[in-house]
Amino acid sequence: MSIEKILSSAPVVPVVVIDNLEDAAPLARALYNGGLKALEITLRTPIAAEAIKLMKAEVPEAYVGTGTVVDKASFDASVAAGADFMVSPGVSDELLALVKGTDIPFLPGAATPSEVMKLASHGFKFLKFFPAEAAGGTAMLKSIGGPLPQLTFCPTGGISLATAPNYLALSNVICVGGTWMLDKQLIENKDWQAIEALARQASEVK
Ligand SMILES: O=C(O)C(=O)C[C@H](O)[C@H](O)COP(=O)(O)O
């Protein structure tokens, strides 16, 4: 499996924070049924690894990956959870060394030309542009694409249903990451139909 295939499975990757384990399976089902095939589950909550296992069991055809992979502990947790892919908001030499020893597709993060160049020199062709809006948004990505057209991005951070099309219109963007379809109140109410409708709206963004 390649990171390109995973990132091209839908225009939007939902960045999920799981607070209650019982939400994991129905949430994954709702997102997938709404057309979002790749799910990034952040390792920000202690139950994230367990949640990933439940999500993969509920929707085996989805790509369930980990987010917030920032060090050896989160890397190890990703491997143990059986993550289909791993996403980092940035990169470190420690992480680069760890991912060289695994087959799990990895999407490292970059926000400046130097970070992009460093990751390119390690063979990465797909990067997370984070924090997208705060780091200069579509203007920054367009500028980076001038001298560095060989890199393709999944911008994430502050992107909404309204701004996603502006990113997807760029030639160096494969998909965007976002949290807007994960409405906290709807999740609290376990309104999975409404979440599915938000996911469908996101999956139809062009
Ligand atoms: O957890 C990580 O590893 C991250 O990189 C952070 C997430 O991508 C952002 O939290 C996205 O959140 P929004 O800004 O609401 O789209």
Side-chain angles (χ1 to χ4, degrees), residues 15 17 40 42-44 66-70 87-90 128 130-131 156-160 177-180:
V15 180
V17 179
E40 176 184 338
T42 70
L43 295 174
R44 293 194 206 176
T66 48
T68 331
V69 179
V70 292
V87 185
S88 179
K128 172 169 177 162
F130 178 82
T156 306
I159 300 176
S160 66
T179 58
W180 74 83

